[in-house]
Amino acid sequence: MLSVVVLISGSGSNLLALLKAAENPLYPVKVVAVGSDKDAPGLEHAELFEVDTFIVEPSRFQDKEQWAKTLLANVLHHQPDLVVLAGFMKILPESFVKALEGKLINTHPSLLPDFKGAHAVRDALQAGAKKTGVTIHYVDAGVDTGPVIVQQELTINEGESESELHERIKVIERALLVETIEKLALAKSASEGN
Ligand code: GRF
């Protein structure tokens, strides 16, 4: 069983997909806690599934390092095998990323390296891209630059709005995230000889 901590900032639909998948006893993943940088609406999903939650707000700390140190302590308290950034919209400092090296993944709504950053869907539309997609990748010290685990492409429809496109991306993203975390869980148990 892979223990996962999920960090979110928003509606948490990716988190919800993972919580639902983990209801199946054959799915080899347990969400042990959900954290956020604010009182995000998505925390309600964790509460409904009786999963621990924590909020560590940057504004309560002197600087980003202090904030990240406390966030990391909350994460490590749950002893996760994997930490998933699922719509977590704060940039994490190198100290946090290093402490979780190889155990920290992010889901991003574009085909990286195209359209890094917080407005990937809008940027793809503004650039007139014909295709975009989803990338799930390991997190390194850069923004959306870490090694890619998996990508899935999607064709942009003529005249599609940012919210329409993002919703279609998220349908793919949720399924890909659930599938990818399952694969990581199976790879870990295979490497441990289980
Ligand atoms: C996802 O598309 C994620 O990639 C992006 O923000 C969205 C979060 O969606 N960074 P949700 O909170 O999981 O519904």
Side-chain angles (χ1 to χ4, degrees):
M1 196 58 91
L2 192 82
S3 295
V4 175
V5 169
V6 184
L7 297 180
I8 64 166
S9 298
S11 63
S13 69
N14 282 284
L15 164 68
L16 181 59
L18 190 60
L19 289 166
K20 283 183 176 168
E23 275 193 312
N24 181 343
L26 296 178
Y27 189 73
V29 174
K30 183 173 165 55
V31 179
V32 290
V34 177
S36 184
D37 57 310
K38 59 181 173 193
D39 189 10
L43 289 172
E44 275 186 19
H45 302 312
E47 283 154 16
L48 283 173
F49 280 75
E50 297 180 11
V51 171
D52 282 355
T53 62
F54 56 88
I55 299 174
V56 186
E57 286 183 39
S59 62
R60 294 180 181 273
F61 295 85
Q62 267 185 348
D63 57 37
K64 199 160 190 177
E65 279 301 327
Q66 292 302 317
W67 165 70
K69 204 174 151 192
T70 304
L71 183 67
L72 180 65
N74 276 271
V75 167
L76 294 179
H77 173 74
H78 297 279
Q79 300 184 302
D81 299 309
L82 185 73
V83 178
V84 179
L85 306 181
F88 186 70
M89 300 309 283
K90 287 276 176 298
I91 295 170
L92 292 159
E94 200 172 345
S95 56
F96 186 99
V97 173
K98 278 259 162 69
L100 291 170
E101 204 166 354
K103 283 186 175 186
L104 182 62
I105 68 169
N106 179 46
T107 175
H108 183 80
S110 79
L111 295 175
L112 291 172
D114 292 343
F115 312 116
K116 300 182 179 103
H119 305 293
V121 181
R122 188 185 312 165
D123 292 347
L125 284 171
Q126 278 175 0
K130 297 274 174 278
K131 288 183 172 167
T132 187
V134 174
T135 303
I136 298 175
H137 64 97
Y138 286 104
V139 177
D140 67 8
V143 177
D144 301 326
T145 53
V148 171
I149 303 170
V150 64
Q151 292 187 304
Q152 196 168 322
E153 197 177 277
L154 162 150
T155 302
I156 298 176
N157 294 333
E158 251 334 280
E160 192 166 28
S161 72
E162 181 182 345
S163 59
E164 285 165 344
L165 177 57
H166 201 170
E167 210 30 69
R168 285 202 306 125
I169 289 174
K170 280 168 66 165
V171 170
I172 294 176
E173 189 173 25
R174 295 191 276 263
L176 195 63
L177 188 67
V178 166
E179 185 188 311
T180 303
I181 295 174
E182 179 178 26
K183 283 187 182 155
L184 293 175
L186 295 175
K188 182 173 178 282
S189 69
S191 76
E192 289 166 352
N194 298 323

